[in-house]
Amino acid sequence: MQKKKKKLSRKRQAAVLELLKLDGLTGLLNFARQVARPGTVGLALGNVECKEADDALLPKYLCSEDKVVRDFVGNFVWGRYWSRGWPWVESLITDKWTTEQKVALYTLLPFGFETWRRAEASLGQNSGKFWQTVNPQPYGPEQPHLVEAVERFLKHGRPLAALVCLNRLAHTKAEFAPELAVQALMEGLKELPSGFDHHAILELIQWLQDNPKTNPDDLFRVEWAYLPLLDHHFDRSPKILEKRLAEKPEFFSELISVVFRPEGETRKKAEPTELEQKIATNAYRLLHNWQQPPGSTQGDAFDGQEFSKWLSEVKTKTKESGHFRIAMSQIGQVLAHTPPDPGGLWIHQAVADALNDKDAGEMRSGFTMKLFNLRGVHGFSAGKEELKIAEGYHKKAEALEENGYQRFATAMRELAKQYERDAEREAQRNPYGD
């Protein structure tokens, strides 16, 4: 394959030299306009010995607005650099070159430490224009210096370019300060295009989440800002936000009051501002997708005392604010993710105690609703699958009843009966009918 490529390259170079002899540079440019990839013509010219081409093309055409000419000249410079190296670059630039022409040349060269150093030395106090223009290509051997590029991009208002480099650093498990990633992510929000690689952003956020050096408050801001991307369905979650919900009853209570009106409120509020709408949307999304129940500790462990303390504080706060019932429903939903009790019951006894309380009707409703919704999309089994699920919930209800949780057991039996009714309907349904 390599031999074929070299042979084709030599043929192109010979053809370029022949065209130069016949029609000169103008004829060669006209020929480039007629081919599908004019850059290949420029690259071939860059690899042949022709001093006249340097003088004719550079720096005159470096800042051309003609797309074909830009492609042609860009590849010409690329070919010259790889065939002659830095001595060619250094011999080329003179005091007659404008700042724009110097910037245009350096942005055509490999994105790396050597280019940055030479560009800054040549441009002096105008070196910022290089960083405001150059496109990041962080895939070569210059990776150890990418942190420097990130710092330069951020200094000159290029957070998206910095994100490209940071993602590469994170992907290769390189060391860098979490503060750089936080700054790039937060500043990038202002200009993030719809087509930007969301996967790259999520990878960087996960790097921050997994890095013990990340400031929790910084991570909180990042997760809140990018919450629409952090979806459990894509194996991503706002870890610090969920942790704060599970540990801080005041944070949970505040979000509830942001999303929902107090019970019995009749006075119509003023139309919310755009910022208030965004905050409410984020708060609702976070509550809706929340999967880390209060009382969760490291790993799969669960602290019943911490859960009870958290719940007690939430009850006090939401009764005062008029959000008690909706708060209990939301708590019931996240409790569907509670781990089993160490003593063998299928759910931790501290949670079973709370769900069995006389005032826990909304919590039980939220719990069973969440269990029902967790089933997700399913196929047709003529009711067999529904009956199997119903049987499982009946057994759970029996276990609760044996441990004295009568109200909670009744709620689980109602859920089992709902599946039995679904099974009956499914058994009578024609899956191929309308």
Side-chain angles (χ1 to χ4, degrees):
M1 183 62 74
Q2 283 296 111
K3 288 182 178 180
K4 287 184 178 179
K5 286 184 177 180
K6 287 182 179 180
K7 187 176 181 181
L8 179 60
S9 178
R10 286 194 294 269
K11 284 184 176 181
R12 285 173 175 165
Q13 292 170 25
V16 162
L17 284 174
E18 189 65 27
L19 283 169
L20 275 175
K21 290 177 183 177
L22 293 173
D23 300 316
L25 186 60
T26 301
L28 192 59
L29 279 170
N30 288 335
F31 172 74
R33 294 183 187 281
Q34 298 171 32
V35 299
R37 292 186 295 173
T40 58
V41 184
L43 184 63
L45 179 61
N47 281 291
V48 300
E49 194 65 37
C50 181
K51 181 66 170 64
E52 294 78 8
D54 290 19
D55 297 335
L57 291 172
L58 307 176
K60 180 179 178 181
Y61 291 104
L62 279 171
C63 299
S64 174
E65 295 183 1
D66 187 314
K67 186 177 179 180
V68 171
V69 173
R70 283 204 313 271
D71 192 12
F72 180 91
V73 173
N75 279 276
F76 168 78
V77 169
W78 192 256
R80 275 287 191 264
Y81 168 78
W82 286 110
S83 61
R84 300 188 183 183
W86 286 112
W88 172 76
V89 177
E90 291 168 351
S91 68
L92 192 66
I93 300 174
T94 69
D95 294 338
K96 294 180 181 180
W97 283 43
T98 66
T99 296
E100 288 70 24
Q101 288 169 339
K102 291 179 182 179
V103 168
L105 177 69
Y106 283 112
T107 56
L108 293 173
L109 297 171
F111 182 77
F113 179 78
E114 291 291 339
T115 300
W116 311 336
R117 280 286 177 269
R118 285 173 165 80
E120 290 180 339
S122 178
L123 292 164
Q125 62 182 6
N126 293 318
S127 62
K129 292 187 176 180
F130 168 79
W131 292 105
Q132 290 164 1
T133 307
V134 67
N135 290 321
Q137 298 290 334
Y139 308 108
E142 299 290 345
Q143 185 178 306
H145 303 287
L146 279 181
V147 173
E148 180 181 334
V150 170
E151 292 170 345
R152 294 290 199 278
F153 280 133
L154 290 174
K155 178 181 178 181
H156 295 287
R158 300 278 308 281
L160 299 188
L163 284 173
V164 173
C165 297
L166 285 165
N167 183 252
R168 179 64 179 171
L169 287 166
H171 183 72
T172 55
K173 297 179 170 43
E175 285 288 329
F176 61 92
E179 292 79 9
L180 289 175
V182 172
Q183 182 183 350
L185 285 165
M186 296 307 295
E187 292 181 4
L189 277 172
K190 303 171 187 175
E191 53 183 281
L192 198 65
S194 58
F196 196 82
D197 186 358
H198 288 170
H199 177 73
I201 293 232
L202 289 171
E203 288 292 312
L204 192 54
I205 292 175
Q206 185 173 357
W207 181 89
L208 285 171
Q209 291 173 332
D210 295 341
N211 193 328
K213 295 180 181 179
T214 302
N215 183 298
D217 290 333
D218 286 343
L219 183 55
F220 180 96
R221 291 190 299 119
V222 168
E223 288 187 353
W224 182 263
Y226 287 91
L227 192 56
L229 298 182
L230 296 168
D231 192 323
H232 284 282
H233 294 297
F234 297 104
D235 197 28
R236 295 289 186 271
S237 63
K239 294 181 181 179
I240 197 72
L241 290 176
E242 291 202 351
K243 186 173 185 289
R244 194 159 294 191
L245 274 176
E247 294 179 351
K248 305 289 184 183
E250 62 274 13
F251 180 52
F252 170 80
S253 303
E254 182 183 355
L255 288 192
I256 288 289
S257 65
V258 166
V259 178
F260 303 101
R261 289 184 180 182
E263 296 167 23
E265 183 184 81
T266 56
R267 184 172 57 87
K268 188 177 180 180
K269 283 187 175 182
E271 195 69 25
T273 65
E274 184 178 343
L275 177 60
E276 289 172 335
Q277 287 179 337
K278 184 177 181 180
I279 291 173
T281 300
N282 260 15
Y284 176 79
R285 182 180 284 113
L286 178 57
L287 289 169
H288 181 72
N289 294 323
W290 183 26
Q291 293 187 12
Q292 183 178 342
S296 301
T297 56
Q298 293 292 332
D300 295 329
F302 190 87
D303 189 324
Q305 289 185 341
E306 283 299 315
F307 165 72
S308 299
K309 181 182 176 183
W310 182 96
L311 181 60
S312 177
E313 291 187 35
V314 167
K315 284 182 176 182
T316 300
K317 291 179 182 297
T318 55
K319 282 177 180 177
E320 291 173 355
S321 68
H323 295 90
F324 176 75
R325 294 177 64 186
I326 188 62
M328 294 304 103
S329 176
Q330 291 292 317
I331 293 169
Q333 293 179 52
V334 75
L335 292 181
H337 300 286
T338 304
D341 189 84
L345 186 63
W346 61 271
I347 189 169
H348 199 283
Q349 288 208 10
V351 174
D353 285 334
L355 286 164
N356 196 61
D357 280 350
K358 185 183 293 186
D359 68 349
E362 286 81 9
M363 201 188 300
R364 287 191 291 272
S365 295
F367 183 87
T368 54
M369 178 182 70
K370 187 66 173 183
L371 287 180
F372 186 81
N373 291 336
L374 282 174
R375 185 186 181 195
V377 179
H378 53 276
F380 178 77
S381 65
K384 292 179 182 178
E385 187 177 333
E386 286 75 14
L387 285 175
K388 185 177 181 181
I389 294 172
E391 182 184 358
Y393 285 140
H394 275 302
K395 288 181 179 179
K396 287 185 175 182
E398 290 172 9
L400 290 171
E401 198 164 56
E402 289 171 3
N403 283 269
Y405 301 119
Q406 302 294 336
R407 298 186 188 92
F408 190 10
T410 299
M412 292 301 294
R413 281 202 182 89
E414 284 301 319
L415 179 59
K417 290 176 183 178
Q418 183 176 350
Y419 272 103
E420 287 172 344
R421 291 190 292 270
D422 288 347
E424 187 176 346
R425 283 195 296 270
E426 288 292 287
Q428 297 173 1
R429 182 170 71 88
N430 178 4
Y432 303 105
D434 293 331

